[in-house]
Amino acid sequence: MSRLRFSMLLLAVAMLSLTGCGKGGDKDAKGKAEIAFIVNVPAGFWNLAEAGVLAASKEFNIKCEFFIPPDGAEGQKRIMEDLLTRGIKGVAITPIDPDNQQALLNKVAAAAHLITHDSDAPNSNRLYYVGVDNYAAGREAGKLVKEAMPDGGTVMIFVGNLGQMNARQRRQGVIDEVLGRPVQDVNTATFDPNSGELKNDKYTILDTRTDDADTGKVAQQPQDALTRFPELGCMVGLFEYNPPAILNAVRAANRLGKTKIVGFDEASDTLQGISDGHIQGTIAQQPYGYGYESVKILTGLVRNDKSLLPDKKVIYLPPIVVKKEGPDKPTADATGSYTVNAKAFREDVDAKLKSREAAKK
């Protein structure tokens, strides 16, 4: 295990005990938590979600625990089983492996109110899903690829794993958009196998590389790709930590401006790379909204307050396309896509992170 990965695991273990989702963010407040918010892997993305969780917890005066498992699906299993033993009333989770976790998810749903966020488990007995339409978000990333390489070229995709529903849907959205295929319904989408090239008369998608959130692989995969394909046209990173690793590899290979980069999420290095002109753009989700809406829905379920519950079982928060140039506030175009410039978006992210720190004091 690399020193960096070991350090990340230590950080994750420390964060595993995070509470602070109760009134005013006071983790030492009396009384046990009624609800829990569980994520998948350690990532800065979840700091924004925690800011939303803290804000909603204070607004609705409900106690919550926030969990970042250090060891993926096994960690999620351990957390959920412990929460059931403690009599938790509501759980919001990002399923890492929804097919293999279905029995456990249904066990939780039988004893508590269960919803999913960020990545869905539609075949489970979850009550609601809060997140982005990941297929549609993938197509927005595909548009950035075509914008970066209007004359065509080669593309490679990087992601943590393809077991998560969100990863599969994003990847397929990128593929379908780049290859000019018809739009699919996110709920019935057909997924291309991760083997062999996929291409049309302009673009060739060479491969999809997975890293399982292993920091060594995260850094090595894009380096290996550029060694094998030194003229690679565009690299697409689908998880928050992928674009910065891709940027580092492209810079080391002296390919800045030559190998284009398209990302997901709002890592600081990604936003800086966009402002510097090294990254074409990123598809930002709304993790703050994931946290806020999840707590709001769980509060409504736990307290049987229907005024807090949405009319639909699937709540899509629209993706935001972040580019170097654009409006100062997310603005929808004729197609319904939201766009904002990187500087203004970063200021909004920083404000939300400051609210998180203030709430935890």
Side-chain angles (χ1 to χ4, degrees), residues 27 73 92 95 116 147 173 188 245 284 359:
K27 67 180 180 180
T116 55
E147 183 180 288
T188 59

Side-chain angles (χ1 to χ4, degrees), residues 179-199:
L179 299 184
R181 296 175 177 175
V183 175
Q184 300 191 65
D185 186 311
V186 65
N187 298 308
T188 59
T190 300
F191 301 108
D192 283 295
N194 187 24
S195 60
E197 295 181 355
L198 301 167
K199 57 185 178 181

Side-chain angles (χ1 to χ4, degrees), residues 209-230:
R209 302 286 178 87
T210 58
D211 53 61
D212 298 316
D214 181 311
T215 54
K217 289 183 179 180
V218 171
Q220 193 64 42
Q221 292 279 27
Q223 295 174 19
D224 291 345
L226 286 169
T227 298
R228 184 176 178 186
F229 303 100

Side-chain angles (χ1 to χ4, degrees), residues 142-301:
K143 291 176 184 177
L144 288 176
V145 173
K146 294 191 293 184
E147 183 180 288
M149 298 194 305
D151 296 326
T154 54
V155 181
M156 190 171 289
I157 300 171
F158 300 82
V159 68
N161 70 79
L162 290 173
Q164 285 186 210
M165 183 67 73
N166 60 351
R168 295 201 299 269
Q169 291 172 338
R170 288 178 199 176
R171 172 181 179 267
Q172 196 60 47
V174 172
I175 292 170
D176 288 354
E177 181 64 35
V178 169
L179 299 184
R181 296 175 177 175
V183 175
Q184 300 191 65
D185 186 311
V186 65
N187 298 308
T188 59
T190 300
F191 301 108
D192 283 295
N194 187 24
S195 60
E197 295 181 355
L198 301 167
K199 57 185 178 181
N200 64 7
D201 59 344
K202 288 183 65 175
Y203 298 95
T204 298
I205 298 173
L206 298 169
D207 194 9
T208 300
R209 302 286 178 87
T210 58
D211 53 61
D212 298 316
D214 181 311
T215 54
K217 289 183 179 180
V218 171
Q220 193 64 42
Q221 292 279 27
Q223 295 174 19
D224 291 345
L226 286 169
T227 298
R228 184 176 178 186
F229 303 100
E231 301 298 317
L232 184 55
C234 185
M235 305 169 83
V236 183
L238 298 185
F239 279 5
E240 183 203 49
Y241 53 74
N242 292 125
I246 292 170
L247 177 59
N248 289 337
V250 170
R251 180 181 285 114
N254 294 316
R255 292 284 299 172
L256 287 176
K258 299 175 183 177
T259 296
K260 308 299 182 179
I261 304 171
V262 171
F264 254 82
D265 299 327
E266 51 277 274
S268 178
D269 288 347
T270 299
L271 298 179
Q272 188 61 51
I274 296 171
S275 295
D276 293 339
H278 301 321
I279 296 178
Q280 185 71 19
T282 192
I283 308 303
Q285 302 177 73
Q286 298 191 49
Y288 182 94
Y290 296 177
Y292 183 93
E293 294 299 329
S294 292
V295 169
K296 180 180 179 181
I297 291 170
L298 286 177
T299 302
L301 291 169

